[in-house]
Amino acid sequence: MPDRTPGTPVRVDPRGQRFAAVLTSLVLLLVLATGSGTLLAAQAVVFALGAILGLRWSPYGWLYSRLVRPRLGPPQEFEDARPPRFAQAVGLAFAAIGMVGYLSGATWLGIAASAAALTAAFLNAAFGYCLGCELYLLTVRSRTRLGHG
Amino acid sequence: MSDPTGLLVAAVVLVAATVFGLVRVRRDGRLRDTAQGDVLRLSSGELGVTLGERATLVQFSTALCATCPGTRRLLAGVADGTPGVRHVEIDAETRLELVRRFEVMRTPTVLVLDRTGRVVRRASGAPTRADVVSAVELAAAV
């Protein structure tokens, strides 16, 4: 079931996120190579599913649990699902901007936004580094600073 | 496929991210000497609990932080196994005044305090057990 109860954090297999990040990186590379706004739109849908329903319900998470995890065995540890879900939402924002860029003919915007999303996905895939999560505290800090004038 | 700009940008992104990632891996969680000159302190009043008799491990966390739970387990384990050492976790979002004062840019950020509350060492990112143990020894020796 998708997580709808804020009190109990959902635990996810961190290897599933790495797997999803690898697929995301490949798709974004393909987007940059072909300049396809449609492909980026598809990736935006994947991000949206991961952010709204949880990673297990995104297509990449489904592929992982069906094809990869049975071969790996049970995970050594689980992670809180909220950080990667936040990161998926950040990815969605960039994919949406890039999609508008490519589809409206502002190719530079499509390239810039896709490049930003690729940076985050690749850092996660290669180093397990969650850029979206790191940005979270900085956004909270700047938001309150603006609020206080 | 006619316009190579996208591919070129992708190549630059991959190279830059690899360099960034390698530097990050090397520096992440390293417990460093705090900046000389200004002595930073945390009081038990600010922490909401009494300071450890020998040292206090202060951890800044957020809910949306992937490595915070692992660091929590590590620091709590060190504190449990070392008499006079205490682990305190601070929710960065609700204590923004402390976040600003200690210039916390990322979570987890770990401060190692001596028994008077002076910051002896600090780390951005998840520290290793060996680093934490030696920083605690240093703080306790003060």
Side-chain angles (χ1 to χ4, degrees):
Chain A
M1 285 293 289
D3 166 39
R4 303 233 177 269
T5 47
T8 50
V10 175
R11 316 292 284 170
V12 290
D13 183 347
R15 298 169 306 175
Q17 293 152 44
R18 291 291 279 273
F19 176 77
V22 170
L23 288 185
T24 305
S25 303
L26 291 175
V27 170
L28 290 170
L29 269 176
L30 212 58
V31 167
L32 281 167
T34 60
S36 164
T38 318
L39 184 59
L40 190 55
Q43 177 59 49
V45 171
V46 173
F47 277 139
L49 288 172
I52 296 163
L53 297 178
L55 290 161
R56 227 177 304 173
W57 300 86
S58 93
Y60 301 161
W62 185 85
L63 272 178
Y64 173 76
S65 60
R66 279 297 163 94
L67 300 177
V68 184
R69 190 163 164 179
R71 286 154 215 266
L72 290 179
Q76 299 280 325
E77 57 175 11
F78 286 92
E79 254 180 32
D80 194 323
R82 286 172 296 177
R85 268 173 78 167
F86 174 75
Q88 294 284 302
V90 175
L92 172 61
F94 277 105
I97 293 169
M99 194 177 79
V100 169
Y102 276 126
L103 296 178
S104 70
T107 312
W108 61 271
L109 183 61
I111 290 176
S114 305
L118 175 63
T119 307
F122 176 75
L123 282 174
N124 197 351
F127 300 101
Y129 179 79
C130 179
L131 190 62
C133 308
E134 301 278 344
L135 292 177
Y136 179 70
L137 183 62
L138 294 180
T139 50
V140 173
R141 280 185 65 157
S142 55
R143 202 190 311 146
T144 48
R145 184 169 306 154
L146 290 173
H148 286 288
Chain B
M1 288 308 285
S2 53
D3 185 9
T5 314
L7 265 181
L8 201 67
V9 169
V12 170
V13 162
L14 292 186
V15 170
T18 302
V19 171
F20 174 84
L22 291 174
V23 170
R24 202 57 305 170
V25 164
R26 186 161 302 173
R27 295 181 43 181
D28 219 25
R30 190 69 57 82
L31 276 152
R32 261 176 283 226
D33 211 343
T34 46
Q36 288 80 25
D38 51 335
V39 176
L40 284 169
R41 277 174 197 284
L42 259 171
S43 68
S44 57
E46 288 166 317
L47 286 175
V49 292
T50 52
L51 292 166
E53 283 164 36
R54 297 173 66 214
T56 308
L57 301 167
V58 179
Q59 175 185 351
F60 286 88
S61 299
T62 52
L64 299 170
C65 157
T67 48
C68 288
T71 300
R72 177 187 313 138
R73 283 195 295 274
L74 168 68
L75 297 183
V78 170
D80 283 347
T82 324
V85 176
R86 187 153 203 174
H87 172 224
V88 184
E89 193 167 4
I90 293 177
D91 178 14
E93 276 184 77
T94 56
R95 303 298 303 274
L96 284 170
E97 80 284 3
L98 293 181
V99 165
R100 298 239 170 74
R101 207 170 100 212
F102 292 95
E103 291 170 351
V104 175
M105 305 304 274
R106 313 171 47 202
T107 54
T109 284
V110 177
L111 308 176
V112 182
L113 314 182
D114 67 11
R115 60 187 168 76
T116 67
R118 189 170 66 91
V119 179
V120 179
R121 285 280 185 277
R122 68 175 288 156
S124 301
T128 62
R129 175 175 284 272
D131 265 13
V132 172
V133 168
S134 63
V136 163
E137 277 168 12
L138 185 96
V142 173

